[in-house]
Amino acid sequence: RMNNLAEKEGVWFVYDGDCPMCNMAAHAFRIRQEHGALHLVNARDASNDDPLIKEINRRQFDLDEGMVIYCQNRFYHG
């Protein structure tokens, strides 16, 4: 237990665990801790030549019905 505020080094993210937006942000930080960089891709702005976008289209994932997570060569849609 830290008794002095000066002992808290680094960045501290304090959030309301009952807030859905806060929980989503905290989850994004956990992803970064576990997997490294979290890359955000706006499919509306992305090039159709992007290999990730091509594969999402090939698999017929409907982005109007859910988002896509690609991690360790696996796709998750929902």
Side-chain angles (χ1 to χ4, degrees):
R1 182 175 160 200
M2 295 184 198
N3 295 324
N4 185 342
L5 191 57
E7 295 176 21
K8 292 185 182 289
E9 296 180 6
V11 177
W12 294 75
F13 174 61
V14 180
Y15 66 98
D16 177 352
D18 289 337
C19 169
M21 293 299 290
C22 295
N23 278 323
M24 286 190 324
H27 187 67
F29 286 129
R30 282 188 204 101
I31 289 171
R32 287 183 194 154
Q33 286 176 336
E34 292 178 22
H35 298 283
L38 172 63
H39 305 278
L40 303 176
V41 178
N42 179 342
R44 294 189 185 274
D45 293 339
S47 168
N48 286 332
D49 292 332
D50 182 298
L52 183 58
I53 300 299
K54 281 183 175 181
E55 186 61 20
I56 288 169
N57 290 334
R58 189 189 72 74
R59 292 171 181 248
Q60 298 180 345
F61 292 140
D62 186 348
L63 293 175
D64 288 330
E65 296 297 321
M67 67 185 90
V68 173
I69 300 290
Y70 176 72
C71 181
Q72 298 177 340
N73 295 318
R74 297 184 70 177
F75 287 85
Y76 303 89
H77 177 253

